[in-house]
């Protein structure tokens, strides 16, 4: 299942605005009953160098989903990689051709290019078509996506 909310406005193309994608994945209990979730947020900041925390963040759009019964057994790299891949797929029209910051809370993604997993390698080759800079935030700083991945499904 994938959730996508329409933006209340589009990313600004004015000078001084920085566009960013924040993503996260949670493992849940790694069972079919609680397989875990992924979430991504598209946003922007004005007059900001490299993003820090939630200060000045303007939310533009959200996307998220739940892992299926097969995906619940995936490794951390696979789950976090899926979240990043889905973020770029969902926000493609808003970020293609623009330099953006990709905010992640898992350092394992910084080594995604070394993977031997063909699925993760395909995702990595897709996200390399974008102009982005990956930045690590702690889970506390990446609170929006961290909270969304822990939402209870009803």
């Amino acid at each position: 299942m994938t959730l996508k909310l329409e933006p209340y406005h589009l990313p600004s193309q004015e000078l001084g605005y920085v566009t960013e994608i924040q993503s996260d994945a949670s493992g849940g209990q790694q069972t079919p009953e609680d397989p875990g979730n992924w979430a991504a947020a598209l946003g922007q900041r004005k007059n900001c160098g490299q993003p820090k925390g939630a200060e000045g963040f303007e939310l533009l759009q959200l996307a998220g989903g739940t892992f299926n019964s097969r995906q619940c057994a995936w490794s951390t790299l696979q789950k976090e990689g899926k979240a990043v891949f889905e973020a770029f797929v969902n926000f493609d029209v808003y970020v293609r051709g623009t330099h953006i910051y990709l905010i992640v809370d898992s350092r394992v993604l910084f080594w995604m290019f070394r993977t031997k997993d063909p699925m993760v390698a395909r995702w990595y080759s897709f996200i390399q078509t974008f102009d982005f800079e990956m930045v690590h935030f702690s889970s506390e700083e990446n609170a929006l996506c961290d909270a969304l991945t822990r939402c209870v499904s009803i």
Side-chain angles (χ1 to χ4, degrees):
M1 180 177 88
T2 300
L3 166 71
K4 187 173 179 184
L5 302 175
E6 294 303 316
Y8 66 91
H9 64 280
L10 300 174
S12 177
Q13 297 302 314
E14 294 179 24
L15 291 176
Y17 278 92
V18 175
T19 305
E20 64 186 66
I21 291 177
Q22 299 178 5
S23 75
D24 190 27
S26 71
Q29 298 297 318
Q30 296 187 345
T31 64
E33 293 78 33
D34 184 14
N37 304 299
W38 65 269
L42 174 67
Q44 65 187 13
R45 297 174 201 258
K46 187 171 184 175
N47 299 325
C48 166
Q50 192 164 359
K52 287 190 175 176
E55 184 177 323
F57 181 75
E58 298 174 18
L59 179 64
L60 301 176
Q61 188 169 355
L62 294 171
T66 301
F67 295 115
N68 63 31
S69 59
R70 187 188 80 244
Q71 296 166 334
C72 73
W74 281 359
S75 68
T76 300
L77 174 61
Q78 289 170 318
K79 287 184 176 184
E80 294 283 349
K82 171 78 169 173
V84 170
F85 172 74
E86 289 291 345
F88 278 106
V89 167
N90 281 282
F91 305 141
D92 186 340
V93 297
Y94 308 115
V95 300
R96 185 157 307 270
T98 305
H99 179 76
I100 64 165
Y101 287 97
L102 173 62
I103 312 298
V104 296
D105 65 357
S106 176
R107 289 197 187 270
V108 72
L109 289 171
F110 284 88
W111 307 106
M112 197 174 183
F113 65 93
R114 290 185 170 179
T115 186
K116 302 285 187 226
D117 183 333
M119 178 176 57
V120 177
R122 282 191 306 272
W123 294 338
Y124 183 72
S125 67
F126 173 76
I127 67 171
Q128 286 301 300
T129 63
F130 294 87
D131 179 15
F132 70 95
E133 187 176 330
M134 196 178 306
V135 179
H136 178 264
F137 275 16
S138 67
S139 288
E140 292 79 28
E141 292 173 314
N142 196 16
L144 174 62
C145 287
D146 197 49
L148 289 172
T149 62
R150 286 163 171 67
C151 289
V152 177
S153 300
I154 298 177

